[in-house]
Amino acid sequence: MKKLVVLLLILLIPSVLALSSQQWINTHQLQQISKIGTNLKFEVHDGSGKIVNRDPNVGESFTLSADDDFVWSKVLVYPDAPLGVISNFDLNVQQISHTVQVGTAKKVWYQRRGRPIFANYYTNSGVSNEVNTTGWKPQDYHLTAYTCTTNRNQQWQSTGVWDCSWKVYTFTLKGKVAPAATTNCGNNKCDINEDPNNCAKDCPDAIFCGNHRCDPGENLNNCVEDRTACWDFVNSMTHCPNMYTNTNEHCDPLAANNKFMNPWTKPFQTPVTCQTLGFKGGQLDCLPNCLISTNSCYNTVCGDNVCETGETPQSCALDCMIGPLPSKNVANCITPPQPQQSVWKIDTNTVLCPGKYKLDKGVEINKQAIFDCNNAEIEGDMSGNNEQFHIFSDNVELKNCNFVNLLITTDSIVQGQPGALNAGPLRSNIKINNNNFKNYAYIIGAIANGEIRKNYIPAFQLYNGAVNNDVSENKGVVLVRLNSRANNNKISKNDIEKLELFFNTENNIIENNKIKLLTLGWLLSFTGAAKNKISNNDIELLRLREGSNQNSITENKLNNLVFEKASSNTVEKNTINAVSSQYFALLILNIGSDKNKIESNSFNGNNLGIIGIGLESDENEFSKNSIENTDVGVHIVGPSRKNDFFRNNFINSKTKHVEDATTFNQHEKNYYSGFSDDPSKCKDANNDSLCDDPYTITPAPAPNYGPVEDKSPSKIKN
């Protein structure tokens, strides 16, 4: 190791001269991790785990012993590094009484009276600088401090040569040999002695923490996995700083051009920025040790349509405002025709002047356009006389409007039938964002690749092949309907009272919403909704009706879940908590709700006298669920067949853990409180964590049938 280790020894020399190396470590609450060569490493940390063998920062001062004016330190690792005299003192220091202060740049010399003063010394002036290496072993790590008391004589003043009385202090830290690391390139794991150079399969040649290489943006403290690589990288630097970013540096604090570089790109270094390091913006900083700091980079950008931490409607209305943005003065703004005599037809970008306008004859947008109300109010009359706001073109944007009694639609007018609409053609790239829909204003239509975002809106309906739309961050929503092949839409971060999906509506993503009632399917099997993903929502009641199959319901917070002839669905990792006894069970699977997978959910009846799971269907799998504080954990009625209950936890059931009126279901390795946790009932002679005796669920219902039992109940919670 070539880099000078200054901070520790300057701090510690006055108090440790009489201490052994282990006492020295114990006194200063340091832990050592040792290494020399390829399979040993040494680092010194403070009590909080932060690395402290570093270069001192500018302005740090350390008091020396009363006898010594200057302190230098050097690390000598024998036999990895040659032993000998001190040659380069890599610090610019000043004498301030008995305090050494680190200067603004590390140098091997500094100016005194306009001439360079080098760290020359005479070995015959005091204690020899030679280090006694007797007893040194390769697995030891040796920190050597040299102190110099200057003789301030005429020779000092005239020649600039220090006449030093040297003292040498050596501390031997016993190294601990680390087990040799095994390399198995190709095992999809970046092993300890693999890196992008010797195993790109496991350690990709890309900037990330954990590839055992010191990448730009990593330093000695922000990436534990690569800290060794960064320490070795710093030690390999030979010209830091020198006004150029060299090939073994990430940056140079004195460089004017090409200051921040990636030394690992081939064949030449390439510049790096906050953006290339994965941030959205900001400026990189260069540390004194020629590593990059990303502390001034940021990931919050106003205008990226994401209301991020630290942004508010006041600080970033573009990202965080729900409803129209505040009005602004716009040159050449448009005032709609008042009073309106006929349909107002728009075929170009339009910004309204602020105000309130009565448009009871309707509006049509017939060409690509942005219609910006600029927080103005547009009112219809909803009398059934074609007063709608019609979108008859692709690539239309409506924003910052206050709509009152006005229907926004892509549908076609039925001639001769006032107020009647036919399903119009699919309109693409329609954006309806940051609007306020009042009274009876709402949206209905067939939209593809569009957006309905950040509106206050009571209702909207997407149908007739409406696909790939982003419906997010809307408030005040009473009813949303997706039907008739409305597929591949994303519904996220909305507050909705009722959300309905039916008539072959598939592959939609419903996530991070607050919903009172979510219904999939309608009345008949062909009206179902299938293959939708429902995750991370807060839902009071989720209802799957006939034909709603192969849906994924994961990691939601629910109050009740009801299946009505809905099959092959996955219900996983949800929390289902009772808030009332309105429904007799937390989860109800009615007749025809077969082959569903119910796994790793938490059911809590909160002692409201309800059932955990009510079952009257076939071939369902229940595993790793926790069912607590119910009247009955599971209530099974006939004819229910081939249901499998495996490794569930039944806890604090008031009446019974399981009621099974049939003998056609399987119960195995479940945990039953009051039995599994009672040593007198659950004996485990072979220590396999299973009770030796069965748990009786239902006594034999008739002479020809045996009892319903769990023959191997679990002794511990699953």
Side-chain angles (χ1 to χ4, degrees):
M1 182 178 287
K2 300 177 182 178
K3 196 76 173 175
L4 300 181
V5 180
V6 178
L7 176 57
L8 274 175
L9 296 172
I10 293 176
L11 281 171
L12 303 176
I13 282 173
S15 60
V16 302
L17 301 183
L19 299 179
S20 69
S21 59
Q22 190 58 54
Q23 288 174 321
W24 177 66
I25 293 172
N26 294 339
T27 298
H28 297 281
Q29 298 180 349
L30 305 177
Q31 68 183 72
Q32 64 169 341
I33 305 171
S34 304
K35 179 176 180 182
I36 292 178
T38 59
N39 66 341
L40 290 171
K41 174 188 162 83
F42 172 80
E43 289 179 349
V44 178
H45 299 74
D46 62 16
S48 65
K50 182 179 179 181
I51 193 167
V52 295
N53 51 334
R54 59 170 176 82
D55 288 327
N57 294 322
V58 171
E60 287 185 321
S61 299
F62 310 103
T63 301
L64 310 180
S65 67
D67 297 330
D68 303 319
D69 294 323
F70 300 102
V71 173
W72 288 277
S73 67
K74 186 173 183 178
V75 177
L76 299 175
V77 181
Y78 177 80
D80 290 347
L83 304 177
V85 299
I86 303 173
S87 57
N88 291 314
F89 300 130
D90 195 16
L91 276 180
N92 174 20
V93 297
Q94 296 175 322
Q95 180 193 5
I96 306 175
S97 181
H98 293 302
T99 299
V100 168
Q101 181 175 356
V102 179
T104 57
K106 294 186 297 180
K107 301 178 181 178
V108 296
W109 58 272
Y110 68 92
Q111 290 290 124
R112 181 181 176 89
R113 296 181 181 177
R115 38 190 311 204
I117 306 299
F118 292 94
N120 299 326
Y121 58 89
Y122 298 123
T123 58
N124 59 358
S125 298
V127 179
S128 171
N129 65 298
E130 294 182 359
V131 177
N132 183 1
T133 62
T134 303
W136 281 25
K137 299 178 182 179
Q139 66 265 30
D140 294 339
Y141 205 94
H142 310 280
L143 283 76
T144 304
Y146 301 82
T147 65
C148 166
T149 300
T150 58
N151 298 318
R152 295 172 178 80
N153 51 26
Q154 273 189 328
Q155 188 179 23
W156 164 269
Q157 298 291 336
S158 61
T159 65
V161 174
W162 285 318
D163 185 4
C164 291
S165 295
W166 288 94
K167 295 181 181 179
V168 182
Y169 307 113
T170 301
F171 305 96
T172 300
L173 306 181
K174 294 296 182 182
K176 182 172 66 175
V177 179
T182 58
T183 301
N184 186 12
C185 187
N187 66 349
N188 293 321
K189 178 184 177 183
C190 193
D191 292 319
I192 192 169
N193 53 354
E194 293 176 346
D195 57 43
N197 293 324
N198 61 23
C199 185
K201 291 180 181 179
D202 296 344
C203 309
D205 188 9
I207 295 176
F208 72 95
C209 179
N211 63 356
H212 300 155
R213 183 177 71 183
C214 192
D215 286 326
E218 295 177 352
N219 56 53
L220 300 177
N221 293 312
N222 68 358
C223 178
V224 174
E225 295 91 334
D226 295 342
R227 184 163 53 193
T228 300
C230 282
W231 186 242
D232 293 341
F233 184 69
V234 169
N235 290 332
S236 71
M237 296 178 185
T238 55
H239 299 88
C240 174
N242 68 344
M243 298 186 292
Y244 301 98
T245 299
N246 299 294
T247 55
N248 63 342
E249 298 170 351
H250 289 166
C251 60
D252 193 294
L254 303 181
N257 300 309
N258 297 323
K259 188 169 184 175
F260 305 99
M261 306 294 285
N262 184 353
W264 310 115
T265 53
K266 306 297 181 185
F268 304 108
Q269 293 173 282
T270 56
V272 294
T273 64
C274 288
Q275 288 86 343
T276 62
L277 294 181
F279 297 90
K280 291 184 177 179
Q283 296 292 327
L284 297 174
D285 299 313
C286 190
L287 299 173
N289 60 5
C290 292
L291 295 181
I292 289 173
S293 169
T294 59
N295 288 344
S296 297
C297 299
Y298 55 81
N299 276 319
T300 301
V301 178
C302 186
D304 62 356
N305 277 331
V306 179
C307 190
E308 297 162 316
T309 302
E311 292 182 335
T312 66
Q314 292 72 36
S315 65
C316 184
L318 285 173
D319 293 347
C320 300
M321 181 73 76
I322 306 297
L325 302 184
S327 60
K328 52 188 179 294
N329 294 323
V330 177
N332 302 316
C333 62
I334 301 297
T335 299
Q338 297 290 294
Q340 187 180 16
Q341 302 298 321
S342 60
V343 175
W344 184 23
K345 297 186 177 182
I346 298 170
D347 58 7
T348 187
N349 292 344
T350 300
V351 179
L352 299 187
C353 301
K356 294 184 178 181
Y357 306 105
K358 184 76 172 181
L359 296 176
D360 51 3
K361 304 299 182 183
V363 180
E364 293 181 9
I365 297 182
N366 297 294
K367 292 184 179 180
Q368 173 179 331
I370 298 174
F371 186 82
D372 184 349
C373 289
N374 196 20
N375 207 9
E377 181 178 284
I378 298 176
E379 183 178 0
D381 66 8
M382 297 297 287
S383 63
N385 292 314
N386 296 330
E387 74 292 338
Q388 293 89 1
F389 193 118
H390 291 277
I391 299 173
F392 292 151
S393 175
D394 297 334
N395 304 306
V396 172
E397 182 175 1
L398 307 183
K399 62 182 181 179
N400 301 318
C401 298
N402 292 282
F403 294 115
V404 180
N405 294 328
L406 195 60
L407 170 63
I408 311 301
T409 181
T410 62
D411 291 346
S412 300
I413 300 169
V414 180
Q415 297 300 323
Q417 298 183 36
L421 299 172
N422 278 336
L426 194 66
R427 302 295 181 185
S428 181
N429 195 29
I430 306 300
K431 297 181 180 181
I432 305 175
N433 299 334
N434 288 102
N435 300 286
N436 188 4
F437 293 77
K438 302 178 182 180
N439 296 349
Y440 294 100
Y442 60 99
I443 302 169
I444 182 171
I447 298 173
N449 306 308
E451 296 178 0
I452 301 176
R453 303 182 69 246
K454 298 181 180 179
N455 302 283
Y456 282 104
I457 180 169
F460 59 89
Q461 179 172 337
L462 300 177
Y463 64 96
N464 196 30
V467 296
N468 300 322
N469 294 291
D470 177 6
V471 180
S472 60
E473 299 180 81
N474 298 286
K475 305 295 183 182
V477 186
V478 177
L479 176 62
V480 177
R481 283 179 171 167
L482 274 65
N483 64 289
S484 300
R485 304 179 310 283
N487 302 332
N488 299 297
N489 299 287
K490 184 176 181 180
I491 315 295
S492 66
K493 300 179 182 179
N494 302 282
D495 286 349
I496 303 173
E497 289 193 23
K498 294 182 180 181
L499 173 57
E500 300 177 352
L501 286 71
F502 53 93
F503 276 119
N504 301 313
T505 296
E506 299 182 350
N507 295 309
N508 295 284
I509 295 174
I510 303 171
E511 64 182 12
N512 298 309
N513 301 281
K514 186 175 182 180
I515 306 170
K516 287 189 176 181
L517 172 60
L518 171 56
T519 303
L520 277 63
W522 198 32
L523 297 176
L524 303 173
S525 60
F526 62 85
T527 65
K531 302 178 183 178
N532 299 285
K533 295 181 179 180
I534 304 168
S535 65
N536 294 293
N537 301 281
D538 191 338
I539 305 172
E540 292 187 16
L541 173 60
L542 174 52
R543 188 177 184 185
L544 279 69
R545 306 188 71 176
E546 186 171 0
S548 295
N549 305 326
Q550 301 180 57
N551 296 285
S552 173
I553 303 167
T554 60
E555 298 185 88
N556 300 281
K557 294 180 180 180
L558 299 154
N559 298 141
N560 294 97
L561 180 57
V562 179
F563 284 46
E564 302 169 4
K565 297 185 179 180
S567 299
S568 302
N569 297 284
T570 298
V571 180
E572 188 174 15
K573 298 180 181 178
N574 300 280
T575 300
I576 306 163
N577 280 315
V579 295
S580 73
S581 57
Q582 178 181 359
Y583 292 87
F584 78 91
L586 293 168
L587 170 61
I588 301 172
L589 290 93
N590 288 319
I591 294 174
S593 298
D594 304 328
K595 299 181 180 179
N596 296 288
K597 180 180 179 181
I598 317 296
E599 182 175 345
S600 301
N601 301 283
S602 174
F603 297 86
N604 196 324
N606 292 315
N607 297 311
L608 293 175
I610 64 175
I611 292 170
I613 299 174
L615 178 64
E616 53 178 338
S617 53
D618 303 332
E619 299 183 67
N620 297 286
E621 296 180 12
F622 300 86
S623 64
K624 302 177 184 177
N625 300 287
S626 179
I627 305 167
E628 304 181 50
N629 303 317
T630 60
D631 184 51
V632 176
V634 174
H635 176 72
I636 307 172
V637 299
S640 297
R641 298 171 177 265
K642 298 182 180 179
N643 296 289
D644 189 4
F645 292 85
F646 178 75
R647 287 204 177 276
N648 300 283
N649 299 316
F650 296 96
I651 301 170
N652 296 333
S653 303
K654 184 177 180 180
T655 303
K656 294 187 69 174
H657 288 311
V658 182
E659 290 179 338
D660 191 348
T662 77
T663 57
F664 308 112
N665 302 297
Q666 181 72 24
H667 304 269
E668 184 180 5
K669 297 181 180 177
N670 299 291
Y671 175 90
Y672 307 91
S673 67
F675 178 86
S676 298
D677 53 358
D678 186 341
S680 66
K681 298 177 182 177
C682 176
K683 297 179 175 61
D684 183 14
N686 59 357
N687 294 317
D688 62 354
S689 297
L690 298 175
C691 303
D692 297 334
D693 298 318
Y695 176 78
T696 300
I697 293 171
T698 306
N704 295 330
Y705 296 96
V708 179
E709 293 180 332
D710 185 332
K711 297 186 181 302
S712 53
S714 177
K715 180 181 178 181
I716 60 176
K717 292 180 181 179
N718 295 293

